[in-house]
């Protein structure tokens, strides 16, 4: 297998997951800053220019960060992070779906249409007038996460899972692009500090970490 990765919250999800599972996979760094993922050969691997992508030994491709992690959890079931039972997997997937819709998507769209506009305006649809609204949606999503973490230690319940990895990577991305956690999100901040101290979280901060191909 080979993982195509880059900087950004979605690639970091897979790097965090791999580090926590202790999995070693050959990796290729794709330069999204120069737009490598939006042209030429890369579009044969992912027509929409997405990163990351996992290429299997038979040449087939799997895209979307949490889908890649789900696949790897089935291939390597030791220390499951996507849920050890059907019920646990359902809880993790439901949590991730909510994170993607209430935080990840609006946060990214808010960034692309504002601070990131010079980079993205010639690559995809950007709507600058929608940026404030998207950022407000993301802030509301972060407050929802704060309320949830006031009642339980982790995003999907009592155990650390892929849902925590997903939320953490968006929280860290938001802090980098002018969309930090709300000041009053004390439970979310305490959770973030616990996750940030994990060796796998620290390792995943560098997109080049463990790069061997």
């Amino acid at each position: 297998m080979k993982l195509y990765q880059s900087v950004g919250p979605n690639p970091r999800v897979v790097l965090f997951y791999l580090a926590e599972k202790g999995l070693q996979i050959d990796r290729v760094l794709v330069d999204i800053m120069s737009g490598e993922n939006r042209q030429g050969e890369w579009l044969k691997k992912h027509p929409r220019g997405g990163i990351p992508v996992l290429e299997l030994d038979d040449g087939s491709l799997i895209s979307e960060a949490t889908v890649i992690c789900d696949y790897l959890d089935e291939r390597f079931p030791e220390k499951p992070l996507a849920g050890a039972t059907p019920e646990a997997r359902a809880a993790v997937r439901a949590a991730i779906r909510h994170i993607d819709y209430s935080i990840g998507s609006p946060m990214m769209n808010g960034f692309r249409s504002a601070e990131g506009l010079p980079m993205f305006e010639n690559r995809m649809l950007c709507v600058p007038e929608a940026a404030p609204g998207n950022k407000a949606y993301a802030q509301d999503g972060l407050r929802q996460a704060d309320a949830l973490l006031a009642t339980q230690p982790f995003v999907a319940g009592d155990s650390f899972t892929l849902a925590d990895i997903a939320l953490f990577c968006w929280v860290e991305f938001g802090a980098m692009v002018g969309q930090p956690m709300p000041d009053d999100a004390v439970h979310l901040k305490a959770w973030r500090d616990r996750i940030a101290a994990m060796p796998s979280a620290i390792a995943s901060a560098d997109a080049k970490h463990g790069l061997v191909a």
Side-chain angles (χ1 to χ4, degrees):
M1 289 188 289
K2 183 182 298 183
L3 176 68
Y4 293 88
Q5 65 184 69
S6 68
V7 297
N10 287 309
R12 189 175 182 184
V13 167
V14 183
L15 295 182
F16 192 158
Y17 171 88
L18 291 175
E20 182 65 16
K21 289 274 285 192
L23 295 176
Q24 298 294 326
I25 296 178
D26 288 355
R27 304 172 192 178
V28 176
L29 193 64
V30 178
D31 184 4
I32 65 169
M33 302 303 290
S34 69
E36 180 183 356
N37 61 311
R38 298 284 170 179
Q39 56 190 306
E41 291 299 311
W42 180 256
L43 295 180
K44 296 178 182 179
K45 296 185 181 296
H46 196 301
R48 297 186 301 279
I51 301 285
V53 168
L54 181 67
E55 185 173 2
L56 305 185
D57 294 339
D58 65 1
S60 57
L61 303 165
I62 300 175
S63 61
E64 303 299 329
T66 54
V67 176
I68 290 171
C69 296
D70 265 336
Y71 169 79
L72 291 172
D73 233 41
E74 292 191 26
R75 282 285 305 271
F76 305 97
E78 300 80 9
K79 192 180 179 181
L81 292 175
T85 66
E87 293 77 15
R89 286 191 290 275
V92 171
R93 288 167 182 164
I96 290 172
R97 183 174 173 83
H98 183 69
I99 291 165
D100 286 343
Y101 277 97
S102 67
I103 299 172
S105 181
M107 182 180 286
M108 181 60 80
N109 283 325
F111 166 68
R112 286 172 175 164
S113 293
E115 294 85 353
L117 188 61
M119 176 178 175
F120 288 101
E121 60 183 341
N122 294 321
R123 302 184 187 185
M124 61 181 61
L125 176 65
C126 296
V127 186
E129 59 269 29
N134 274 307
K135 292 180 179 183
Y137 279 125
Q139 287 291 297
D140 183 65
L142 290 170
R143 287 193 171 89
Q144 292 180 47
D146 178 68
L148 176 69
L149 290 165
T151 67
Q152 58 192 50
F154 297 101
V155 176
D158 294 329
S159 302
F160 175 82
T161 68
L162 180 58
D164 294 281
I165 294 176
L167 178 58
F168 177 79
C169 291
W170 283 116
V171 166
E172 296 299 278
F173 175 74
M176 294 174 59
V177 299
Q179 299 183 60
M181 292 176 283
D183 290 337
D184 57 353
V186 294
H187 306 290
L188 181 62
K189 290 179 179 179
W191 166 89
R192 179 265 167 200
D193 290 344
R194 283 190 289 122
I195 304 302
M198 297 174 62
S200 47
I202 296 169
S204 70
D206 181 3
K208 294 183 180 179
H209 176 76
L211 197 67
V212 295

